[in-house]
Amino acid sequence: DLTASPVFFDPLGQAAPEDRREAPFDDETGLYAHSTILECARDAFARLEEAGVLETALAPGGAAHGWGVVCVGHSLGAGVATLLALLLRASGQGPFAGARAIVFEPPGGLLSKKLSVL
């Protein structure tokens, strides 16, 4: 129906009309991120922690010792990369504290303006 008022959909195609995008999203902090993309980033973070691959590569004597962490992605992957970099930085663990993201065409509405400057 072309006359229907717009609602926002998650990548799984499930309408969430109770979550319409109306600011402020978080009255106390002004910080918000797309919940499904954040869930994907948290999953990636957990898998990286479980495998220990970053710690091994970045440790003294590791193949990437002295290097920083850069998360890269396009489109939805850009959203995941952005939030994964923020999660890595928030962990405050050694080289993760300086994690960065280089992204191409991230989804609109990915995160709040206040969060984007972190």
Side-chain angles (χ1 to χ4, degrees):
D1 180 359
L2 297 176
T3 62
S5 55
V7 296
F8 288 83
F9 293 86
D10 70 15
L12 302 175
Q14 300 169 339
E18 68 278 2
D19 293 332
R20 291 183 189 270
R21 303 286 183 186
E22 296 176 5
F25 297 94
D26 183 333
D27 290 333
E28 293 185 27
T29 65
L31 304 175
Y32 71 87
H34 187 285
S35 63
T36 304
I37 298 174
L38 179 58
E39 186 178 331
C40 292
R42 285 180 173 154
D43 180 63
F45 182 80
R47 289 171 185 253
L48 287 169
E49 278 191 316
E50 183 179 318
V53 66
L54 289 178
E55 291 89 347
T56 301
L58 297 170
H65 177 68
W67 291 49
V69 175
V70 179
C71 302
V72 180
H74 171 262
S75 192
L76 287 175
V80 174
T82 299
L83 297 179
L84 177 59
L86 288 172
L87 290 172
L88 288 167
R89 289 171 68 178
S91 75
Q93 300 175 25
F96 301 164
R100 298 196 175 272
I102 297 177
V103 299
F104 303 91
E105 299 179 349
L110 174 63
L111 42 81
S112 64
K113 183 175 181 179
K114 188 172 181 180
L115 186 56
S116 72
V117 298
L118 294 180

